[in-house]
Amino acid sequence: MIKVSDTAKKKVIELMTDDGFDTRTDFVRVGVKSGGCSGLSYDLTFDKTQQENDKVFEDNDVKIVVDKKSFLYLVGTTLEYSGGLNGKGFVFNNPNANRTCGCGESFSL
């Protein structure tokens, strides 16, 4: 399961609406890809099409879709949002990560 904080929920709804997505039917696609200074990096997009091997979750009224491979890296993760002058944007609080980079956008196991 992937959890969504209250601040992330508000920002997701705002951005999805601004981009023309329907928060009731469309979803946030979260994934992991090779790259970044720590070896793996997070990928977050909005999507309307579910793939055959996707795992679907809903937390805090936000629908999240994760491909099967990425799910293994992301289980137990909380999606958070940090705004303001020193904010980073969306932040993945991943208990599986052994090491993260300073910007929080990549990690290793």
Side-chain angles (χ1 to χ4, degrees):
M1 160 144 294
I2 296 175
K3 297 192 177 287
V4 179
S5 72
D6 290 337
T7 54
K9 171 189 173 179
K10 290 175 189 172
K11 195 63 176 179
V12 162
I13 290 171
E14 175 188 329
L15 292 174
M16 285 183 81
T17 302
D18 289 350
D19 287 353
F21 288 90
D22 184 345
T23 58
R24 293 167 296 163
T25 57
D26 301 331
F27 47 84
V28 176
R29 179 173 293 283
V30 179
V32 172
K33 59 185 178 181
S34 295
C37 51
S38 292
L40 297 169
S41 61
Y42 299 107
D43 188 33
L44 184 145
T45 58
F46 303 133
D47 202 345
K48 297 178 181 224
T49 307
Q50 187 176 333
Q51 304 299 319
E52 184 178 332
N53 290 323
D54 285 342
K55 294 198 174 283
V56 181
F57 304 98
E58 187 167 340
D59 185 61
N60 210 358
D61 297 324
V62 174
K63 291 182 180 103
I64 300 174
V65 172
V66 182
D67 65 86
K68 193 174 184 179
K69 178 184 158 206
S70 295
F71 175 72
L72 299 173
Y73 297 107
L74 296 171
V75 66
T77 296
T78 300
L79 178 62
E80 299 180 11
Y81 184 81
S82 176
L85 294 175
N86 295 322
K88 298 179 183 179
F90 287 105
V91 177
F92 293 86
N93 187 351
N94 187 344
N96 304 307
N98 288 335
R99 184 173 54 116
T100 60
C101 66
C103 65
E105 293 179 9
S106 69
F107 69 101
S108 65
L109 298 176

